[in-house]
Amino acid sequence: MIKTVLVANRGEIARRVFRACRDLGIGTVAVHSDPDAGAPYVREADAAVRLPGASPAETYLAAAKVVDAAHRAGADAVHPGYGFLSENAAFAQAVLDAGLTWIGPPPAAIAAMGSKIEAKKLMAAAGVPVLPELDPAQVTAADLPLLVKASAGGGGRGMRIVRTLDELPDAVAGARREAESAFGDPTVFCEPLLESARHIEVQIIADAHGTVVALGERECSIQRRHQKIIEEAPSPAVDDALRDALCTAAENAARAIEYVGAGTVEFMLAPDGRFYFLEVNTRLQVEHPVTECVYGVDLVRMQIECAEGGALPQDGVEPRGHAIEVRLYAEDPAHDWRPASGTLHTFEVPGVDAAFAVPPSGGLRLDSGVESGSEVGVHYDPMLAKVIAWAPTRAAAARRLAAALRGARVHGLTTNRDLLVRILEEPAFLAGDTDTGYLDRIGLDALAAPLAGEETVAVSALAAALAGAARERASAGVLGGLPSGWRNVRSQPQRRSFDGPHGTVDVDYRLGRDGLVSELCPGTALVSAGPDRVVLDRDGLRETFAVAASGDEVFVDSRLGAVALRAVPRFTDPSAQVAPGSLLAPMPGTVVRVETEPGAAVAEGQTLVVLEAMKMEHRIAAPAAGTVAELNVEAGRQVESGAVLAVISVEGTSE
C-alpha cells in the first residue's frame, strides 16, 4: 500500500492529486521551482522540496532531482500529473529503479507511444484506423494541406498547418525548435490535414489483471494553436453505434501495448463518420473532470489503486447528464493569444459546488492552480483554472457555465474569459456544430470581442471615478468627510480619464445640491459611493458596482459585465515615452530568432523578431512599412515586457 505520494508537477494538477490522496489517507509531497515557492499547491502539501531554478529544464524536467526529492521526503510513490515528465519512459523507469511505485503505465507502454511515428505503426498492426505518415522531405503539392507534428509530446507544441509548399520549410523548422524546447526531441513528421474534422478522445483505465475499461468519449474540437480550450462529455456528434466503435478501438489500442492505469486514446472524426487514430496520451488528461462528472468516478483514485495492484470493478458505470469544461487562460485572444503574466489580484468564481471533485448532484466544479494574490510567471503554461459545469442536459451545462464565467471576478491579468462566454452562448456551439476549425469559421473578431459594450464601459467608468473620489476622501488628512469636488458655486466638473476596452473614456461629473450630474451617463443618480462599492440609479433601475483598484488599474464588476480600466494620469512622465515606430516586447521572454537587420526595408506585418514565452513561440511583426532604424536584440537575449526590440522609421515620422 502506498503511504506517501510525491507529485512531479505543479499548479492545479498537483492540487487535484493531493485531494485524492487526502481522501485515501495518503501523505503528499510537492516539488517546486523558485517562482512556485509561494504557490497554493506547495502550501497544501504535507512536505515540499525545492528544485533550484526557474526554467522547466532546471526543475520539473530534471528527472534525477525529482527522484532525489522523493527519497529525501520519504515518499514511496510518484505521480507525474500531465505535461513535463508524465510521458517520459526513462523517468518512469528511473522511479521504478529507485524502488518507488510509479503511478502510471509501464515504461514500455510509454515508450511505445512516445514516438507518434512508431505509435501509428503499432496501432495499424492492431487494426486501429490511422492516417498515412508523410516524410517532410518527400511532401508534394498533392499532399496538401497537411499538418507538421512533433513526434514526441503533445499539447499543441511543435505543430504547424501547411497549405502551400513555400510554407513547409519554415513550418518544419519552427516545429522542430518548439519540439526540442518542450520535449527535448526535435523529430517531426507530416500527416494529411482533415478539414472540418472533430477531435474525439476516449478515456481508458486498465488494471494489471487484464481488465480494460473505456469510459466514453470527450469532444475536444474547439482549439487554439492546436491546444484545447473547451471540452465536453459526451460528444454531441457521437451516437451509440459510433461510441461502441470508438471505445472498441481504444480498448484494442490499450491491449496492444499492455497498458495499465489511466490514459486517453485520441481520434480525428471526419465529416463522413470515419475516424482515425491520432495518439495515445499515456497519462491523465487536463480534461479528465468531464468524464469524472458524467461517469461518477475518481480517475486519480483509480490510478493509485491500479498502481497498488488493485483490480477494477467488473460492474460497468452508466453515464449521467452532460459536462462541459473550459480552460481559463491568462492570454489575450484578440492579440494572437498573447500570454499575460503578473499578479492575479482577485480570483473568485461564484456558485462553486466542488473543488477538484465531482459535485454531489450536478453543478459547478473548479480546479484551479491559482488564488487571489497569485503570481503568474512566464516560465510555464498560462492556464489559471478549469471551470466545469455538470447538468442533466448539454444546454443546461452551457448556461450554468456561461453564467459562472460572467460573474467571475478575475482582476489583474488579461484572460480569455469573454471568448469562452461568447462560445458557450454562440448558436453553432449550442447546436453542437463544432470542429477543429470552429474559431476560424465563426470568426475570432466576433468571439474575442469584449462582453462589455460601450454603454456598460461608460457607466462602469463613472462608478470607478466615484469610487476613486471616495477612496481619496477616506484617506484625506483634512476634511475627509466632505464630498469630493464640492462647490457652493458651480465651476468646472470633476474629470477622470480611463483607458478601457473600447478606447479612452473621459468621465465628467458634478456633485451638488441637485445630486449627480454626468453628461457621460445622463439620467443617472448617485445612491451611494464608497471606495469599493458604488450604487447608481439609472432611470429608476438601481445597479450595484463592485470596484477594486490596484495602482492605476481599476476593476469594475456588476451584473452588466466585468470592465477593466486603467487610469490615465493627468500629467505624462516624459521619461515613459518611447520613440515613434518603436517595436515593444509584448511580454517577458527569450529572443529565439531575429529576422531582420539595421537598415533593412520591411513591410507591414512582416515578422522581425520571434520570442519564446510560456513554452510557445510568438512572432513580433512590423506595425507599418518602413526601415529598421534600430535593432536592440539578438538571439538568446532575455527581454522584459515593454522593452524596445527595434525602431521602425516610417515615412512621415522622425527618429
Side-chain angles (χ1 to χ4, degrees):
M1 298 290 286
I2 293 172
K3 294 182 179 179
T4 303
V5 171
L6 178 142
V7 178
N9 219 294
R10 62 181 297 278
E12 56 89 20
I13 184 55
R15 301 181 82 184
R16 167 69 184 92
V17 177
F18 292 163
R19 198 276 302 161
C21 288
R22 285 194 295 270
D23 289 351
L24 291 168
I26 295 174
T28 57
V29 178
V31 290
H32 68 86
S33 65
D34 290 336
D36 280 340
Y41 82 95
V42 177
R43 296 198 306 270
E44 292 174 2
D46 297 328
V49 180
R50 177 190 175 219
L51 302 177
S55 72
E58 297 174 294
T59 55
Y60 303 106
L61 289 174
K65 291 182 181 179
V66 175
V67 172
D68 178 65
H71 281 305
R72 289 167 57 194
D76 57 345
V78 172
H79 191 299
Y82 39 69
F84 296 125
L85 293 167
S86 62
E87 294 181 281
N88 186 307
F91 175 62
Q93 189 61 55
V95 169
L96 294 171
D97 291 345
L100 306 171
T101 298
W102 168 251
I103 303 175
I110 299 174
M113 295 294 101
S115 165
K116 292 184 176 67
I117 295 173
E118 296 304 315
K120 292 177 74 167
K121 295 176 182 177
L122 279 170
M123 292 302 105
V128 179
V130 300
L131 286 168
E133 174 202 335
L134 305 172
D135 183 340
Q138 299 178 2
V139 166
T140 68
D143 299 317
L144 302 174
L146 57 79
L147 194 61
V148 181
K149 300 177 68 173
S151 184
R157 296 174 184 90
M159 294 180 69
R160 300 287 192 278
I161 291 176
V162 175
R163 298 189 182 277
T164 69
L165 288 178
D166 290 343
E167 298 171 350
L168 185 61
D170 284 347
V172 170
R176 282 177 174 155
R177 283 193 306 272
E178 214 164 72
E180 173 70 30
S181 174
F183 316 120
D185 183 351
T187 306
V188 300
F189 68 100
C190 301
E191 67 183 18
L193 176 66
L194 290 179
E195 304 276 18
S196 303
R198 291 176 181 260
H199 188 135
I200 305 291
E201 60 189 30
V202 176
Q203 175 70 57
I204 57 169
I205 184 79
D207 61 27
H209 308 284
T211 300
V212 180
V213 177
L215 295 172
E217 85 287 347
R218 296 186 286 255
E219 168 88 45
C220 308
S221 296
I222 299 181
Q223 304 176 5
R224 58 96 168 105
R225 287 186 164 183
H226 310 292
Q227 287 185 306
K228 307 159 190 172
I229 56 174
I230 296 183
E231 303 100 346
E232 57 182 308
S235 166
V238 175
D239 58 22
D240 290 342
L242 180 54
R243 181 171 298 113
D244 288 344
L246 286 163
C247 289
T248 297
E251 291 170 356
N252 289 341
R255 292 190 178 98
I257 56 175
E258 299 181 351
Y259 200 85
V260 175
T264 301
V265 185
E266 302 198 349
F267 301 96
M268 295 303 292
L269 177 62
D272 61 8
R274 291 184 294 175
F275 61 87
Y276 302 92
F277 171 80
L278 189 61
E279 62 183 338
V280 175
N281 290 126
T282 54
R283 54 172 170 80
L284 199 66
Q285 289 280 82
V286 176
E287 57 271 23
H288 74 274
V290 294
T291 297
E292 291 187 325
C293 289
V294 169
Y295 281 87
V297 297
D298 184 330
L299 287 169
V300 176
R301 180 175 187 143
M302 295 172 81
Q303 282 184 297
I304 294 172
E305 291 172 344
C306 286
E308 291 179 322
L312 290 170
Q314 295 301 309
D315 297 334
V317 290
E318 294 297 322
R320 304 168 298 161
H322 201 100
I324 305 175
E325 171 183 296
V326 297
R327 303 188 191 188
L328 185 65
Y329 281 100
E331 66 182 13
D332 188 349
H335 292 86
D336 197 28
W337 309 98
R338 181 187 302 163
S341 60
T343 302
L344 185 63
H345 303 301
T346 306
F347 183 72
E348 299 172 358
V349 180
V352 172
D353 298 292
F356 305 102
V358 178
S361 57
L364 200 68
R365 169 174 170 171
L366 178 66
D367 286 19
S368 172
V370 298
E371 58 189 17
S372 296
S374 289
E375 289 291 327
V376 177
V378 300
H379 300 287
Y380 317 113
D381 187 275
M383 188 174 76
L384 303 177
K386 304 178 307 196
V387 190
I388 307 100
W390 174 38
T393 66
R394 185 172 185 270
R399 181 168 63 182
R400 176 69 188 274
L401 190 50
L405 291 169
R406 278 185 177 274
R409 302 184 72 209
V410 186
H411 301 163
L413 297 175
T414 301
T415 73
N416 65 338
R417 183 256 301 273
D418 289 8
L419 170 89
L420 297 173
V421 173
R422 288 195 180 278
I423 292 173
L424 291 167
E425 296 177 345
E426 194 274 321
F429 173 82
L430 292 174
D433 182 16
T434 61
D435 55 51
T436 54
Y438 172 85
L439 293 180
D440 292 333
R441 176 162 51 87
I442 302 302
L444 193 57
D445 288 346
L447 292 173
L451 285 172
E454 293 187 9
E455 183 180 351
T456 295
V457 171
V459 70
S460 297
L462 175 59
L466 293 167
R471 191 177 307 111
E472 291 167 0
R473 298 314 303 158
S475 62
V478 178
L479 301 177
L482 291 182
S484 176
W486 175 268
R487 299 287 190 275
N488 283 318
V489 178
R490 179 173 295 183
S491 180
Q492 295 296 313
Q494 295 277 77
R495 165 168 279 208
R496 293 173 187 255
S497 296
F498 302 93
D499 285 333
H502 303 291
T504 301
V505 183
D506 295 319
V507 182
D508 290 338
Y509 69 92
R510 291 187 177 89
L511 283 173
R513 290 185 174 88
D514 296 330
L516 173 68
V517 177
S518 169
E519 293 184 3
L520 180 66
C521 303
T524 300
L526 175 63
V527 178
S528 63
D532 55 11
R533 185 175 183 271
V534 173
V535 181
L536 300 175
D537 186 303
R538 304 175 65 218
D539 295 323
L541 182 64
R542 186 168 292 191
E543 304 276 11
T544 300
F545 300 83
V547 183
S550 177
D552 59 357
E553 295 179 299
V554 186
F555 309 97
V556 184
D557 295 283
S558 72
R559 75 175 188 92
L560 303 176
V563 176
L565 303 166
R566 184 178 294 275
V568 177
R570 294 182 63 189
F571 304 102
T572 303
D573 182 357
S575 66
Q577 296 182 356
V578 296
S582 294
L583 199 65
L584 307 181
M587 71 206 83
T590 302
V591 177
V592 175
R593 195 166 67 261
V594 177
E595 298 186 357
T596 189
E597 59 186 15
V602 296
E604 181 179 354
Q606 178 181 335
T607 298
L608 304 183
V609 178
V610 179
L611 290 182
E612 183 181 66
M614 294 182 172
K615 301 194 285 185
M616 299 290 284
E617 287 190 359
H618 307 274
R619 295 179 174 271
I620 312 301
T627 303
V628 179
E630 293 182 21
L631 186 62
N632 303 322
V633 293
E634 63 280 334
R637 178 175 171 182
Q638 298 280 335
V639 296
E640 295 299 320
S641 179
V644 179
L645 306 176
V647 177
I648 308 301
S649 176
V650 182
E651 184 178 352
T653 66
S654 58
E655 299 177 27

